[in-house]
Amino acid sequence: MLFDLDLILQVYKGFKEKVDTAKSRLNRPLTLTEKILYAHLYETTELKDFQRGADYVDFAPDRVAMQDATAQMALLQFMQAGRKKAAVPSTVHADHLIQARLGADKDLQESLNKNNEVYNFLESVSNKYGIGFWKPGAGIIHQVVLENYAFPGGMMIGTDSHTVNAGGLGMIAIGVGGADAVDVMAGMAWELKMPKLIGVKLSGKLNGWTAPKDIILKVAGILTVKGGTGAVVEYFGEGAQALSCTGKGTICNMGAEIGATTSTFGYDDSMRRYLAATGRQQVVDAADQIASYLNGDPEVYTNPEKYFDQVIEIDLSTLEPHLNGPFTPDLATPISKMKEEALKNGWPTKIEVGLIGSCTNSSYEDISRAASLAKQAVDKNLKAKSMYTITPGSEQVRFTIERDGFIDTFEKIGGNVFANACGPCIGQWHRDGAEKGEKNTIVHSFNRNFAKRADGNPNTYAFVASPELVTALAIAGDLTFNPITDTLLNEDGKAVKLDPPTGWELPPNGFDVKDAGYLAPQEDGSTVEVIVKPDSERLQLLSPFEPWNGKNITGAKLLIKAKGKCTTDHISMAGPWLRYRGHLDNISNNCLIGAVNAFNDQTNQVKSQLTGQTGEVPAIQRSYKAAGLPSIVVGDHNYGEGSSREHAAMEPRHLGVKAILVKSFARIHETNLKKQGMLALTFKNEADFDKIREDDTFNFLNLDAFAPGKPIDIEVVHADHTKETITVNHTYNDQQIGWFRAGSALNLIKLQNQK
């Protein structure tokens, strides 16, 4: 089925003229990123040379995609927006609520039994508002988008940080919170700070054991988890053109782990091949008409330092396979150095489980190359020393790899195929024994490896690698095994060596699937009824947040001073909490329970300024709310790193937190806070972080004069009655201050739709 051809043709029809106009006005060559952004300016946006990293710009994305966990809150908000139908093509993908435990069929049925109420809600809301619905088991949102919706030169947003995966097909695809999705589905402009540009020049060609995954693992080691914040990463060069389309998708997918707004590649033959193989030859024919406009200008790539804010060069011919981790995706170690690093750091070297697939590495190419190693293990009489699991990214991929015998090959080395869903990658893994908290090592081809991420065990050391390397390490059972140089003893006691993996970029016999899992909405959904039971534990209709009263916030209590890394996993955990993603009050019981309290180094234990006693974070905050006391949260650098989940902003807002004050924010989380009517503030002087004490009270001195570019002064009152004033910064513009005044961006949309 070919989706959205009319939309794509319409985008291409005006693309050339818009880009030419922008080049003429700016009087310079353009990167691919700039071409797509300038071609998607909102209709009322004045064309000018926007300042990167400074100017807020209104855009008009072509489409919206939502996964089931975030779609619940996004659609609950959209129901209040006063629209009869989504203004742009939009889809919902049921992929997050399926827990991996026994195997695909049993796990899918268990999810249908447990989550039927939520699935019915999502399907009915989608049907009512003209939104496409992909059923449980259809696949992971990012793989399904790549197979069906992504197109070169397009712009989309999605309520998942790994929406950026679609950059593998030459899109500008950006992860956002649900409130941003509501803006676009309501026909409003979508606001983004004009991103900075990082160019990555790839020379040479991958060979042997090295895979596309190793490129982004290397880049993550260079830029760190915050080095790409506020920037788009654009890959170019002969090495980029030599990569498969799905390999490009893997690189873009994991760009979320460097904080990048998104990543992208220019239109080339690999994209043509992939589009044709997935039934979209008509898109190829249309894209070929403007092919030069779907790449950066030649002058840009000849002198990249002149047009990018930062340039990185990587020679793929000399790139080594990498293992990144543990506990952070930017700790990059070449495989040749792993033995030394593991010994030095005391990492457990016995690998308990190897896991491949999920949204970032579940293409036919990935699976076929991993299967070639599994077949070698069988042929060379090797038995896998570790447990081994496979998570296909879509039903189309799963059906095709089963047809081509790969699943049977994996089963011969003890592999277990999980459902076409996120599974262990997001903590939806019922791993037997994880509750014991034992120190252990796993290797996987997912994108994130934060503590507790996969199985809830803080002592699971998770390392990220390509599916090929994960498979080899699972066969060896040893983190220090280097397949390039080392041998293994087979069941006959003979030393054997694994040959480099081989595979197919695309299935030689084409893709195949019986039921892809798509449900189209009714043309007229006005008669569709959406039911939310008043006593439901899973779903709750939203009540608008209260508008700001225009006065200074005074008497605010410190809820928690979070120490070190505080991701959205720490602020609003996933795993078992996913069941409450549609019920704001219930899920708020996980608010900040993973954040480490700087005053006692414990999680979910903070001091109440009402009683002096220590208690759980949500309970203490609820007591402040009941007493009519505002509160604030203090945090460190890159606060809100990780998933796009807006629950991490909505929960503290719902519980009465007024401001988040940190050293720096991750992009999506800062926007989510603004959208929900929260104050997202940063220390002007980072050393002031150390001045914050456990019993502090905060009085805002000039919030009543809230204005763009104007710092805010806060009086900090300590328990010994001493006081000091600190100055904090913010990045709010006039529109965003309007959200704050109205109580939330959604409140403002409702007011505008009522006019």
Side-chain angles (χ1 to χ4, degrees), residues 135 287 364 488 610 751:
K135 299 183 293 186
Y364 187 89
L488 295 169
L610 293 176
L751 288 172

Side-chain angles (χ1 to χ4, degrees), residues 10-23:
Q10 188 63 33
V11 171
Y12 286 167
K13 182 179 179 181
F15 202 90
K16 183 176 182 294
E17 181 182 352
K18 291 176 180 178
V19 171
D20 284 342
T21 301
K23 287 181 65 174

Side-chain angles (χ1 to χ4, degrees), residues 369-385:
R369 285 172 62 85
S372 75
L373 294 169
K375 186 176 186 305
Q376 281 191 58
V378 174
D379 293 345
K380 296 181 179 183
N381 202 17
L382 290 165
K383 285 189 177 179
K385 299 294 194 298

Side-chain angles (χ1 to χ4, degrees), residues 152 182 215 378 444 446 542 546 560:
V182 172
I215 298 173
V378 174
H444 60 61
F446 309 154
L542 295 175
E546 288 292 322
I560 186 172

Side-chain angles (χ1 to χ4, degrees), residues 353-679:
V353 191
L355 308 97
I356 69 166
S358 194
C359 74
T360 183
N361 274 114
S362 55
S363 69
Y364 187 89
E365 180 180 44
D366 291 324
I367 301 298
S368 68
R369 285 172 62 85
S372 75
L373 294 169
K375 186 176 186 305
Q376 281 191 58
V378 174
D379 293 345
K380 296 181 179 183
N381 202 17
L382 290 165
K383 285 189 177 179
K385 299 294 194 298
S386 309
M387 289 177 59
Y388 184 65
T389 72
I390 306 95
T391 302
S394 71
E395 175 57 15
Q396 179 169 265
V397 166
R398 189 213 63 79
F399 190 93
T400 305
I401 65 172
E402 181 179 44
R403 180 201 67 189
D404 292 350
F406 297 152
I407 289 180
D408 180 61
T409 299
F410 289 134
E411 288 176 346
K412 287 179 180 177
I413 65 166
N416 186 17
V417 178
F418 286 144
N420 314 321
C422 300
C425 181
I426 62 162
Q428 282 285 61
W429 181 22
H430 186 95
R431 184 184 179 190
D432 290 338
E435 71 282 355
K436 298 177 184 177
E438 295 175 340
K439 189 174 179 179
N440 74 104
T441 284
I442 64 173
V443 291
H444 60 61
S445 66
F446 309 154
N447 35 46
R448 294 195 174 127
N449 58 348
F450 304 142
K452 301 184 181 181
R453 172 81 179 183
D455 61 5
N457 178 5
N459 296 313
T460 291
Y461 287 60
F463 295 84
V464 183
S466 69
E468 300 94 316
L469 187 56
V470 168
T471 303
L473 291 171
I475 293 169
D478 188 344
L479 189 66
T480 66
F481 174 68
N482 182 351
I484 300 172
T485 58
D486 298 349
T487 59
L488 295 169
L489 287 179
N490 68 6
E491 293 299 295
D492 300 322
K494 181 181 177 183
V496 296
K497 197 167 185 290
L498 293 173
D499 300 318
T502 59
W504 290 269
E505 175 185 338
L506 295 163
N509 297 317
F511 285 107
D512 198 5
V513 67
K514 282 186 178 178
D515 178 10
Y518 176 71
L519 293 177
Q522 293 185 22
E523 187 64 34
D524 179 4
S526 59
T527 61
V528 176
E529 186 178 4
V530 179
I531 300 175
V532 176
K533 295 183 294 184
D535 60 346
S536 172
E537 291 186 351
R538 302 290 300 274
L539 298 165
Q540 180 188 46
L541 294 175
L542 295 175
S543 298
F545 290 132
E546 288 292 322
W548 177 43
N549 62 11
K551 299 178 181 179
N552 281 312
I553 297 169
T554 59
K557 303 301 181 183
L558 177 70
L559 174 60
I560 186 172
K561 180 180 177 181
K563 177 182 178 181
K565 188 185 283 284
C566 191
T567 72
T568 50
D569 277 6
H570 296 91
I571 304 166
S572 175
M573 287 185 175
W577 290 96
L578 284 173
R579 65 181 281 105
Y580 298 119
R581 283 285 179 89
H583 197 295
L584 181 56
D585 193 56
N586 282 347
I587 199 169
S588 292
N589 288 322
N590 80 359
C591 183
L592 286 157
I593 64 174
V596 176
N597 184 349
F599 299 108
N600 59 17
D601 286 332
Q602 296 181 23
T603 58
N604 204 22
Q605 289 293 304
V606 294
K607 182 179 178 181
S608 167
Q609 292 193 45
L610 293 176
T611 66
Q613 302 299 309
T614 298
E616 297 180 345
V617 180
I620 298 299
Q621 180 53 38
R622 286 184 187 275
S623 70
Y624 289 156
K625 183 178 181 179
L629 290 173
S631 61
I632 79 166
V633 170
V634 173
D636 212 313
H637 276 298
N638 210 29
Y639 184 89
E641 168 194 344
S643 299
S644 68
R645 65 190 67 150
E646 66 187 329
H647 298 75
M650 294 185 79
E651 290 175 30
R653 175 73 164 111
H654 172 68
L655 293 179
V657 176
K658 299 298 183 185
I660 310 293
L661 172 58
V662 300
K663 293 180 181 177
S664 65
F665 284 105
R667 176 191 62 85
I668 299 177
H669 187 63
E670 181 180 19
T671 300
N672 285 346
L673 290 168
K674 292 177 178 180
K675 289 276 184 175
Q676 300 303 334
M678 293 276 282
L679 286 171

